[in-house]
Amino acid sequence: MIYCPVRRSVLHHYNLETDSLKPLTDENGNISVRSARFSPDGSKLVYLECKAGGPHCVTQKLMLINWLRIEEASIVVDVVETGTSDDLFFGMYCESLPANCWNSTSTHVIFSTECNSVEHIFSVELQTGSITRLTDTPGCWLVRDIQGDHILASVSCIDMSPALVVASLKDLAKGMSLSWKYLDPVTRIPGIKWQFKSHVPRIPNPVYSSLTYESIVLQPSNRTSKGFILFPHGGPHSVFPAAYQIYFVSLVRLGFTVALVNYRGSTGFGEASILSLVGNIGDADVKDVHQCAEEILEEFQLDKDRVVLLGGSHGGFLAAHLLGQYPDFYKAAVIRNGVTNLVTMIALTDIPDWVLQEAKIAGYMPGKVPTAEVNSYLHSVSPVAHIDKIKAPTMLMIGKEDRRVPPSQSFEFYKALLCKGVKTRMFVYPDNSHPISSVEAESDSFINLYKWFITHMQ
């Protein structure tokens, strides 16, 4: 299921000659498996495995089966709890392995994964489990294909549009660094400067007390900032990598400072970061994002009267929370398919378990009706619990076909805001689902959010 790679599953081997079916992973185990890839010589099978249930994106294991003997799978890359800044490897978070992920001699598997707020390409030597980073420039490196001993990848960063690059994997076998050759000209976007910023939570998690988090701060380099847009990602277990995205670039080119917030719970920071947010949504994540806003305002000397919010899905959940928990701080918000009421969402979303897993409600079974106590708790951690305090003008955007966050979430919030006298507008985009990504919808939504922000920053 898209954005949700934690459904329980089993990997089977069907023998055409004997017409027999044999499970390769535990049929009764609480695991999710996917992305099986045979080696070029047919002697090995690798696949991704993670614990089923729980947070809807977790750190993966890379598993190996010796196909010549079809013996029990072994762990090649295990779950990484925190990672280290020395090797910049914090675990595997890829939803799938590349279709062609092997070198020609079937000794190494190559993949892309998140490492804090960047994405790098790594190789793992199967015999020893040794992991080597194959890229160095900060940004977003993605494996596109491997043919023989040649790897094709793409690279981009905040102010550089994607370019194709190629390298020889023969250097890898020799223990040498890969030499990447650009196939496309490097195109830099003028008028933008950006940097990473690290944040130490003011209130540490009692179990995972050493965790930090990051933001990526984008600014116009050739003009005074018109205002500050705080933009937490969705998920909540995803990440904003330092990749080229036209939305971010366009906002900065229009004169805004933008902070992309990778709060605790983001992927790419180790399994501990993910687990730290479970049971703390609506609290720890909200505090992280608000702390980020305060620290960036101070460090970059931005106007405190021109701070606005932008977020979608769980990012919309956070934007709505921030409006209510800090009603005098934020001047306006745009919320795209945002979660606003966990009580009413659970009966309509295509992932009802997400609600109870992220809120850490025990004993959930599909089809089970939540108790009054559970509903009371879910309401308390929902943005709607703070509806009476919201003052800032709020624009809601909905993909009419969204099954992940039902449109009713925004309709409820819209009507509640109107009843409270809060200035609000709502845009409904037919034939769009959770991403709101058709050309027409994306362009229309961008124009309207720009007008909304400019109007309410005056």
Side-chain angles (χ1 to χ4, degrees):
M1 181 180 287
I2 189 169
Y3 311 135
C4 182
V6 291
R7 295 288 191 231
R8 196 175 76 84
S9 53
V10 180
L11 188 63
H12 287 86
H13 170 218
Y14 178 67
N15 191 315
L16 294 172
E17 295 180 353
T18 62
D19 189 28
S20 60
L21 185 68
K22 175 185 176 181
L24 298 176
T25 57
D26 188 355
E27 290 183 292
N28 301 312
N30 188 38
I31 61 170
S32 174
V33 297
R34 64 188 185 283
S35 199
R37 303 285 187 261
F38 278 106
S39 60
D41 64 6
S43 67
K44 304 178 184 73
L45 176 71
V46 293
Y47 61 91
L48 296 175
E49 177 184 299
C50 66
K51 192 179 294 185
H56 275 213
C57 189
V58 294
T59 316
Q60 309 294 315
K61 295 178 182 179
L62 181 67
M63 308 297 292
L64 169 68
I65 293 176
N66 184 327
W67 198 250
L68 299 180
R69 296 190 293 272
I70 314 187
E71 57 193 17
E72 186 175 343
S74 59
I75 300 172
V76 180
V77 179
D78 207 344
V79 169
V80 175
E81 288 297 319
T82 56
T84 68
S85 57
D86 294 334
D87 57 13
L88 200 61
F89 182 73
F90 294 81
M92 295 184 70
Y93 302 92
C94 37
E95 289 194 5
S96 63
L97 293 169
N100 298 314
C101 63
W102 294 85
N103 68 335
S104 63
T105 55
S106 302
T107 58
H108 291 72
V109 169
I110 293 92
F111 57 91
S112 311
T113 194
E114 299 140 11
C115 307
N116 292 181
S117 302
V118 297
E119 289 185 85
H120 280 298
I121 298 173
F122 292 86
S123 74
V124 55
E125 204 278 318
L126 297 182
Q127 187 172 356
T128 64
S130 175
I131 299 170
T132 303
R133 182 156 57 95
L134 305 182
T135 49
D136 50 15
T137 307
C140 178
W141 291 78
L142 299 172
V143 178
R144 296 301 182 184
D145 197 12
I146 297 174
Q147 294 293 329
D149 281 314
H150 290 92
I151 177 172
L152 179 70
S154 64
V155 58
S156 73
C157 66
I158 296 292
D159 63 343
M160 187 186 91
S161 59
L164 288 175
V165 292
V166 66
S168 172
L169 292 175
K170 291 182 178 178
D171 293 338
L172 179 65
K174 299 174 184 176
M176 300 166 56
S177 299
L178 266 60
S179 178
W180 294 96
K181 179 180 179 182
Y182 280 75
L183 302 179
D184 295 318
V186 174
T187 304
R188 293 284 180 181
I189 312 302
I192 297 175
K193 58 183 179 181
W194 61 280
Q195 66 183 77
F196 300 106
K197 181 169 174 56
S198 181
H199 305 271
V200 178
R202 292 170 184 155
I203 304 177
N205 184 287
V207 179
Y208 308 101
S209 59
S210 63
L211 294 176
T212 60
Y213 64 102
E214 288 185 349
S215 61
I216 308 173
V217 183
L218 294 65
Q219 291 185 286
S221 61
N222 53 3
R223 65 170 86 175
T224 302
S225 177
K226 290 180 179 178
F228 176 30
I229 300 175
L230 193 65
F231 195 169
H233 62 70
H237 308 298
S238 63
V239 71
F240 274 138
Y244 175 85
Q245 293 196 39
I246 194 169
Y247 233 77
F248 309 154
V249 168
S250 299
L251 288 169
V252 179
R253 289 297 301 271
L254 287 168
F256 296 106
T257 295
V258 180
L260 310 176
V261 190
N262 292 323
Y263 45 88
R264 285 174 294 173
S266 302
T267 55
F269 292 80
E271 184 77 350
S273 179
I274 293 172
L275 296 179
S276 74
L277 185 55
V278 176
N280 292 307
I281 59 170
D283 181 29
D285 45 2
V286 176
K287 288 183 171 66
D288 281 358
V289 177
H290 185 67
Q291 178 183 331
C292 173
E294 291 183 320
E295 291 179 355
I296 290 172
L297 282 170
E298 182 178 354
E299 180 174 338
F300 294 92
Q301 296 296 296
L302 301 174
D303 188 341
K304 295 180 180 180
D305 293 323
R306 301 173 72 85
V307 185
V308 296
L309 293 159
L310 174 60
S313 193
H314 191 83
F317 172 88
L318 293 175
H321 258 297
L322 289 159
L323 289 175
Q325 294 193 35
Y326 305 93
D328 296 315
F329 193 91
Y330 300 98
K331 306 308 175 187
V334 174
I335 298 172
R336 297 162 53 95
N337 285 328
V339 177
T340 62
N341 187 345
L342 296 173
V343 177
T344 54
M345 179 175 166
I346 196 170
L348 299 173
T349 177
D350 64 344
I351 52 169
D353 52 316
W354 176 90
V355 176
L356 297 176
Q357 293 287 356
E358 296 298 340
K360 205 173 184 179
I361 303 295
Y364 171 73
M365 295 289 290
K368 184 176 180 180
V369 177
T371 64
E373 291 78 14
V374 167
N375 280 337
S376 177
Y377 172 71
L378 291 176
H379 179 270
S380 72
V381 299
S382 297
V384 72
H386 304 279
I387 194 75
D388 290 338
K389 295 179 285 184
I390 294 178
K391 302 176 183 179
T394 304
M395 177 177 284
L396 303 167
M397 297 179 172
I398 306 169
K400 192 176 180 181
E401 308 305 319
D402 191 358
R403 296 182 180 180
R404 186 56 44 94
V405 178
S408 58
Q409 290 284 294
S410 293
F411 285 119
E412 284 181 42
F413 208 64
Y414 174 70
K415 291 180 179 179
L417 290 172
L418 287 178
C419 289
K420 300 299 178 183
V422 177
K423 186 171 184 179
T424 183
R425 289 194 68 185
M426 182 166 62
F427 290 86
V428 180
Y429 294 101
D431 303 319
N432 279 264
S433 57
H434 198 53
I436 311 182
S437 57
S438 71
V439 173
E440 296 84 357
E442 191 166 31
S443 57
D444 183 80
S445 64
F446 185 86
I447 291 169
N448 278 292
L449 75 83
Y450 171 75
K451 291 170 63 178
W452 190 256
F453 286 154
I454 285 295
T455 299
H456 297 294
M457 283 181 177
Q458 302 302 324

